[in-house]
């Protein structure tokens, strides 16, 4: 029996979490869910969007499954997602985007893995006003964080039989910060002669991913570029409803969909639960439950290929709950 911290999240979070829990149960994995409240929902009860018990639970259980959490735009509290990653030093954000047969997309044979640095860059939150008409946000890049994220990308490539790692940067303009990231990446790459290594400037990378995505494999990059390009990669395979993410550190791991809380769809039983279900698949693999993970993954692929009981973003008419129910039936069959 595994004990896993559960954060249902804001907006569409609770709906996709319910769907995901029913699917995990159908696959026969016994999990003792340690449910904690974070985000908008926690403010009324605890007076803070990140109660201490959330961090305590994750530190104790070392594995968590999380729905999306809303972050106010422009003002208000800082991102709880970023705070969780930093507090627990979940330095690697792994976001795989793979073509799923049956999903309508102009792209075929996409198999990209974004490895996003998760603890520094412009997400360090070092921001201040300079007088009332200027603002400064400080981008922090360190050798230590760059080294461990690039090493993570190469280790992932070795373990998963991938052939190439591409480092993404803007070192032509940000000569010191991204320059340090690139120099560090080159040094780490020398230790993995069996894996091809190359680098791309981020703007060119965005165009290349739209025009020739099949040329790329594992992509490693600082935080902000990873945030943006992982959504781009999700777009290549059919949208945010499909792509999972894992935040991995040396002490803990937190699994979540790449997408956010999509507030406009809250409570409408409309969104696709697949990204969260696939996040659970990544979690089950991490927990050593590979057989259950493959059962869920294969059943979801079959459901999507059949195209009947799927949500609107996949061209179907099923609600979140109905898609989950069809998946549960398929897993049990
Ligand atoms: P979003 O990812 O919530 O939604 C953008 C659009 O993507 C939606 O309008 C919808 O069209 C589509 N989409 C998202 N999830 C879907 C699903 N499961 N099925 C089908 N379509 C789906 O991005 P946003 O609107 O920019 O952000 C909303 C909130 O989420 C913000 O507060 C943001 O800070 C937060 N956010 C949280 C996380 C996280 O928890 N890790 C990640 C990204 C954004």
């Amino acid at each position: 029996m595994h004990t896993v911290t559960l954060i249902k999240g804001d907006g569409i979070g609770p709906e996709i979490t319910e769907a995901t829990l029913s699917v995990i149960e159908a696959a026969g994995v016994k999990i003792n869910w340690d449910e904690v409240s974070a985000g908008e929902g926690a403010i009324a009860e605890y007076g803070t969007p990140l109660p201490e018990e959330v961090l305590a639970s994750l530190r104790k259980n070392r594995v968590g499954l999380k729905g999306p959490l809303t972050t106010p735009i422009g003002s208000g509290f800082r991102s709880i997602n970023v705070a969780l990653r930093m507090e627990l030093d979940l330095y690697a954000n792994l976001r795989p985007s793979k073509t799923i047969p049956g999903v309508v997309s102009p792209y075929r044979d996409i198999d990209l893995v974004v490895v996003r640095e998760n603890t520094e860059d412009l997400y360090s939150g070092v921001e201040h006003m300079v007088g009332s008409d200027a603002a400064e946000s400080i981008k922090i890049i360190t050798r230590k964080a760059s080294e461990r994220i690039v090493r993570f990308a190469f280790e992932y490539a070795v373990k998963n039989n991938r052939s190439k790692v591409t480092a993404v940067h803007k070192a032509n303009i940000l000569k010191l910060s991204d320059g340090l990231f690139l120099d560090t990446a080159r040094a780490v790459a020398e230790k993995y002669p069996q894996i091809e290594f190359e680098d791309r400037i981020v703007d060119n990378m965005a165009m290349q991913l739209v025009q020739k995505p099949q040329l790329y494999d594992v992509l490693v990059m600082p935080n902000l570029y990873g945030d943006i390009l992982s959504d781009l990669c999700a777009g290549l395979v059919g949208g945010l409803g499909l792509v999972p993410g894992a935040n991995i550190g040396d002490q803990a791991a937190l699994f979540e969909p790449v997408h956010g809380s999509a507030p406009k769809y809250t409570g409408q039983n409309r969104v696709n639960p697949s990204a969260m279900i696939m996040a659970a698949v990544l979690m089950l693999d991490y927990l050593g439950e590979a057989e259950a993970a493959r059962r869920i993954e294969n059943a979801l692929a079959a459901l999507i290929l059949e195209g009947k009981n799927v949500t609107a973003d996949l061209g179907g008419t099923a609600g979140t709950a109905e898609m989950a129910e069809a998946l549960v039936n398929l897993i049990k069959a």
Side-chain angles (χ1 to χ4, degrees):
M1 171 85 93
H2 308 281
T3 300
V4 173
T5 299
L6 179 68
I7 302 167
K8 289 188 174 171
D10 296 318
I12 58 169
E15 298 162 59
I16 55 173
T17 302
E18 284 311 321
T20 303
L21 296 189
S22 66
V23 168
I24 295 174
E25 198 184 334
V29 186
K30 295 270 175 286
I31 294 184
N32 170 28
W33 296 106
D34 185 9
E35 189 181 340
V36 288
S37 175
E40 284 179 322
I43 295 178
E45 201 182 334
Y46 297 89
T48 166
L50 184 55
E52 188 47 43
E53 68 166 38
V54 176
L55 292 170
S57 170
L58 282 162
R59 285 197 180 104
K60 177 166 58 93
N61 300 324
R62 292 169 171 246
V63 183
L65 182 65
K66 176 188 144 311
L69 295 168
T70 297
T71 307
I73 294 176
S75 59
F77 61 82
R78 286 185 57 205
S79 167
I80 303 310
N81 303 304
V82 173
L84 285 168
R85 294 165 189 163
M86 291 197 181
E87 287 285 337
L88 299 162
D89 202 23
L90 305 172
Y91 61 86
N93 192 336
L94 188 71
R95 296 180 155 186
S97 287
K98 196 167 182 211
T99 295
I100 304 172
V103 174
V104 179
S105 162
Y107 294 93
R108 283 179 187 197
D109 304 325
I110 306 284
D111 189 0
L112 294 162
V113 178
V114 171
V115 178
R116 165 188 175 190
E117 202 290 321
N118 231 0
T119 62
E120 55 179 28
D121 193 359
L122 280 163
Y123 291 66
S124 302
V126 187
E127 274 198 315
H128 50 254
M129 294 300 297
V130 182
S132 53
D133 296 325
E136 267 181 9
S137 305
I138 297 178
K139 173 174 165 114
I140 296 169
I141 298 285
T142 64
R143 194 181 303 280
K144 180 184 168 210
S146 302
E147 207 170 83
R148 68 181 178 175
I149 196 64
V150 177
R151 205 179 322 113
F152 182 97
F154 274 99
E155 286 296 322
Y156 178 89
V158 170
K159 282 188 201 116
N160 293 279
N161 294 319
R162 316 285 301 211
S163 56
K164 181 159 81 172
V165 171
T166 305
V168 183
H169 60 87
K170 188 75 186 172
N172 50 331
I173 303 297
L174 300 165
K175 292 184 192 294
L176 296 184
S177 54
D178 280 16
L180 176 61
F181 177 81
L182 180 57
D183 283 349
T184 310
R186 285 180 174 146
V188 173
E190 282 179 12
K191 301 194 179 93
Y192 296 88
Q194 74 276 36
I195 307 281
E196 191 186 339
F197 174 73
E198 61 183 12
D199 71 276
R200 291 284 180 275
I201 296 173
V202 62
D203 39 346
N204 177 30
M205 186 78 248
M207 187 206 65
Q208 299 263 328
L209 283 172
V210 170
Q211 289 204 321
K212 307 173 199 166
Q214 291 84 1
L215 293 185
Y216 296 93
D217 189 346
V218 177
L219 311 171
V220 63
M221 61 200 82
N223 211 334
L224 179 64
Y225 312 143
D227 193 358
I228 297 167
L229 291 187
S230 55
D231 270 36
L232 189 155
C233 291
L236 300 178
V237 299
L240 282 169
L242 295 163
V243 179
N247 302 284
I248 300 175
D250 293 333
Q251 302 299 326
L254 183 58
F255 299 83
E256 63 180 349
V258 165
H259 65 71
S261 56
K264 67 180 177 192
Y265 295 125
T266 303
Q268 291 180 26
N269 188 34
R270 219 184 123 171
V271 295
N272 189 343
S274 301
M276 180 96 178
I277 292 168
M278 287 306 294
V281 165
L282 293 179
M283 182 191 78
L284 291 173
D285 273 326
Y286 184 86
L287 290 171
E289 296 282 358
E291 197 191 321
R294 297 292 81 72
R295 277 179 72 198
I296 296 174
E297 196 172 42
N298 293 339
L300 183 60
L303 188 77
I304 291 174
L305 186 60
E306 188 197 39
K308 272 201 323 214
N309 290 300
V310 294
T311 45
D313 59 313
L314 297 179
T317 54
T320 311
E322 289 70 37
M323 182 168 172
E325 197 184 324
L327 183 56
V328 164
N329 291 337
L330 215 51
I331 291 167
K332 286 183 175 164

